[in-house]
């Protein structure tokens, strides 16, 4: 089974490390399409505010945009779990579980 994400560790100029994910092209294309649509929704909401559109209609659009953002987060979280987390656990890096808990807590704040 193909790993949906490949994670490389890079090193910055100051010597600290950073992690990079490599999404398959089809996932990147899907995420980019979704994010472009969200960007358009945000511009649309701004335009609605500028045009003094009825508050309830603006709130409905904000809710739709939040749902779209949550969808992107779910896709990324699934890839992270199936790729990054599984790989790091198999390498004995159990601290990834603590990182995962923090990530999920961030998602649940909303």
């Amino acid at each position: 089974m193909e790993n949906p994400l490949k994670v490389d560790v890079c090193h910055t100029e100051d010597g600290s490390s950073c992690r990079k994910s490599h999404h398959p092209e089809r996932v990147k294309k899907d995420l980019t399409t979704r994010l472009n649509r969200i960007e358009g929704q945000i511009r649309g909401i701004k335009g609605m505010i500028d045009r003094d559109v009825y508050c309830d209609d603006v709130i409905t659009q904000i809710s739709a945009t939040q749902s779209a953002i949550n969808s992107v987060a779910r896709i990324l979280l699934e890839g992270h779990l199936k790729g990054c987390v599984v790989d790091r656990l198999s390498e004995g890096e159990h601290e990834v579980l603590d990182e995962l808990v923090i990530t999920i807590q961030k998602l649940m704040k909303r």
Side-chain angles (χ1 to χ4, degrees):
M1 176 181 224
E2 180 185 324
N3 184 341
L5 293 176
K6 180 178 184 275
V7 179
D8 288 337
V9 177
C10 63
H11 297 281
T12 59
E13 290 179 6
D14 66 2
S16 62
S17 65
C18 61
R19 295 191 184 278
K20 294 175 85 174
S21 294
H22 299 282
H23 304 280
E25 283 305 312
R26 63 180 168 68
V27 173
K28 284 172 73 168
K29 184 177 179 183
D30 180 45
L31 290 171
T32 299
T33 299
R34 289 171 184 267
L35 291 169
N36 286 339
R37 192 174 305 127
I38 290 166
E39 187 177 25
Q41 287 176 297
I42 296 294
R43 282 193 305 272
I45 291 168
K46 183 178 180 283
M48 292 172 81
I49 298 293
D50 291 342
R51 294 187 316 275
D52 296 319
V53 171
Y54 186 62
C55 298
D56 188 57
D57 295 334
V58 176
I59 291 168
T60 298
Q61 289 304 310
I62 290 170
S63 177
T65 304
Q66 287 172 328
S67 178
I69 290 170
N70 288 340
S71 179
V72 169
R74 278 191 300 273
I75 292 167
L76 287 168
L77 182 59
E78 179 181 356
H80 183 58
L81 286 169
K82 290 180 177 179
C84 305
V85 173
V86 168
D87 288 349
R88 289 183 62 197
L89 283 173
S90 70
E91 294 169 4
E93 295 181 43
H94 297 281
E95 65 273 7
V96 71
L97 295 175
D98 294 328
E99 293 173 11
L100 180 60
V101 169
I102 292 168
T103 298
I104 292 171
Q105 288 171 342
K106 289 176 185 176
L107 283 172
M108 294 178 70
K109 272 186 184 178
R110 295 181 251 142

